[in-house]
Amino acid sequence: TYLDGDLKLDDVQIVREYQNFLPAARFNYDFSNSKHLSVDYETSVQEPPIQQLQPVVDNSDPLNPYKGNPTLRPAYQQSWRLHFNTFDPGNMVGLFAFVDVDYTTDASTNAVFTEDFIRTTSPMNVSENLRMRSDITFTFPLVNLKNRFSITGNVLEQRGPSVLDELEYEIVQRNIGGRIRYD
């Protein structure tokens, strides 16, 4: 990836070149016409936009200035996907499940620095972010094929640091839920 930008007012040129190896692998298996498994692995890179790399301060809000970070590195993400589903059309019973995991190194976050009631925000790289999401649904008919009952459970967890005054705080967000449905 090649990035080239000019700050005309400050006579500053921002040039970045990134080279990355981005492997991907996919596996699909059909146990039968109604039972499937897929496993995916994929990598990607999120380069910082030119606005985040600018070594200038945006003072449009004097109590909350924004300062760019010319040393910002691209975030590297690895994604794993495991999906399984089975559905028997004869008796209308199905199971659908998946687990998705995204692991990002050199993730970018907005760091906040406070001094004299002024809160300056600046993008910076942090060690890692993790996002895991899973869902399982079991569906079946009640009494006859004109009714359907579904039970779903899901979990979402996100982990990553937040930066305040040069201290990193681990933030963990976990959502556990479910759903019962009758059609």
Side-chain angles (χ1 to χ4, degrees), residues 1-167:
T1 306
Y2 184 77
L3 176 67
D4 187 1
D6 290 318
L7 293 171
K8 300 291 184 188
L9 295 176
D10 294 335
D11 196 28
V12 174
Q13 185 175 18
I14 299 172
V15 178
R16 299 287 187 277
E17 186 173 327
Y18 307 108
Q19 295 182 11
N20 297 284
F21 176 66
L22 301 173
R26 304 206 189 301
F27 174 78
N28 292 307
Y29 186 75
D30 293 331
F31 296 96
S32 66
N33 285 340
S34 60
K35 192 181 292 186
H36 309 282
L37 173 71
S38 68
V39 180
D40 295 335
Y41 171 75
E42 189 172 86
T43 57
S44 61
V45 172
Q46 180 64 50
E47 295 88 359
I50 194 81
Q51 295 82 3
Q52 289 184 336
L53 293 171
Q54 296 180 93
V56 296
V57 176
D58 176 358
N59 238 352
S60 55
D61 181 354
L63 294 177
N64 297 293
Y66 180 87
K67 182 180 180 186
N69 180 355
T71 64
L72 204 58
R73 297 179 307 278
Y76 182 77
Q77 182 171 304
Q78 299 178 65
S79 299
W80 293 272
R81 309 277 182 256
L82 173 65
H83 292 227
F84 174 79
N85 66 62
T86 181
F87 183 75
D88 183 348
N91 62 19
M92 302 297 283
V93 173
L95 177 70
F96 309 93
F98 71 84
V99 176
D100 293 348
V101 177
D102 296 319
Y103 176 73
T104 306
T105 53
D106 277 335
S108 178
T109 191
N110 282 325
V112 176
F113 305 94
T114 58
E115 184 177 340
D116 297 329
F117 302 107
I118 296 176
R119 188 180 86 163
T120 303
T121 303
S122 182
M124 70 177 290
N125 292 106
V126 292
S127 56
E128 61 190 21
N129 281 343
L130 179 66
R131 181 177 193 270
M132 297 179 289
R133 186 171 158 236
S134 64
D135 190 283
I136 186 166
T137 299
F138 180 61
T139 183
F140 55 92
L142 290 177
V143 184
N144 59 40
L145 298 180
K146 295 180 182 177
N147 300 293
R148 176 183 299 294
F149 191 72
S150 299
I151 302 170
T152 300
N154 49 52
V155 176
L156 169 66
E157 183 168 321
Q158 300 182 106
R159 296 175 170 267
S162 179
V163 179
L164 177 61
D165 293 330
E166 297 186 24
L167 295 175

